[in-house]
Amino acid sequence: MQKILAYPLTFLYMIFFGLCLLVFHPIQWVCFNVFGYNAHRMSVALLNLSLMRCTHVLGTTYTFNNPHSIPTDRPLIIVPNHQSMHDIPPIIWFMRKHHPKFVSKKELGRGIPSVSYNLRHGGSVLIDRNDSRQALSEIAKLGRYIEKHNRSAVIFPEGTRSRTGHPKPFKATGLKLLMKNAPSALVVPISINNSWKMLKYGKFPNGIGNHITFQVHKPIEVNSNFDSILSEAEKKVISGITAFKAEND
């Protein structure tokens, strides 16, 4: 019965989602080209708040728990697990004062209103997953960018999203490269739960009635022991997933 109800609700959601992308595309263009970086950044934050609101049609709710006073005057490397595209708008909105920028696959840099424009012009980097040299060069560039401007890089170290909610092993290269190029950064692990249920039926329909949670863990200082930081970040992310499952099973 729930899946049957999901079909009309997903159709309605997709209409609202598409309208948001179309409406905010020219808004972003004006903000970026006329008013500059800060106006564009706020337009992107409001876009992602609107995209979250669209999911309310599906009965989706969010909890973003960040009990830490994370400074805004130094760079961050935000390290979440990855379950679906619905991981991204809450990170952009709730972490907006930290100016989050993403490591994204190059295919997202064209053809998607609003999303592609922001990825090309907002400070994120687009990587070719079939060209390791290009990918590493772009990630290093992002590290230098956040170090210079005290902004945040968001990288999903699993590489691809988990379709079941079970975390995948972290891949070290990209995260280590960010740390090398942003030595004054804090690493901020985030555990995401239930986002995968939005796609539990596949691309259509979306899952309905889901409560997606984000648990921000205590930041980790970057030092020369990159392996230790990677291990600690991975353990924190997994602990947040394990605790959530224990509470909700």
Side-chain angles (χ1 to χ4, degrees), residues 14-47:
M14 291 178 70
I15 291 174
F16 288 139
F17 181 87
L19 285 173
C20 277
L21 297 185
L22 292 173
V23 167
F24 273 92
H25 191 90
I27 292 174
Q28 278 193 71
W29 188 94
V30 170
C31 287
F32 181 78
N33 289 283
V34 178
F35 299 106
Y37 171 82
N38 282 318
H40 178 244
R41 178 176 67 88
M42 286 309 302
S43 73
V44 171
L46 291 171
L47 162 66

Side-chain angles (χ1 to χ4, degrees), residues 1 3 7 9 18 20 22 25 29 72-73 81 109 157 189 211 221 238 249:
M1 182 64 187
K3 186 175 181 180
Y7 280 97
L9 291 179
C20 277
L22 292 173
H25 191 90
W29 188 94
T72 57
D73 60 349
N81 59 307
H211 179 210
E221 290 279 355
I238 292 173
D249 285 348

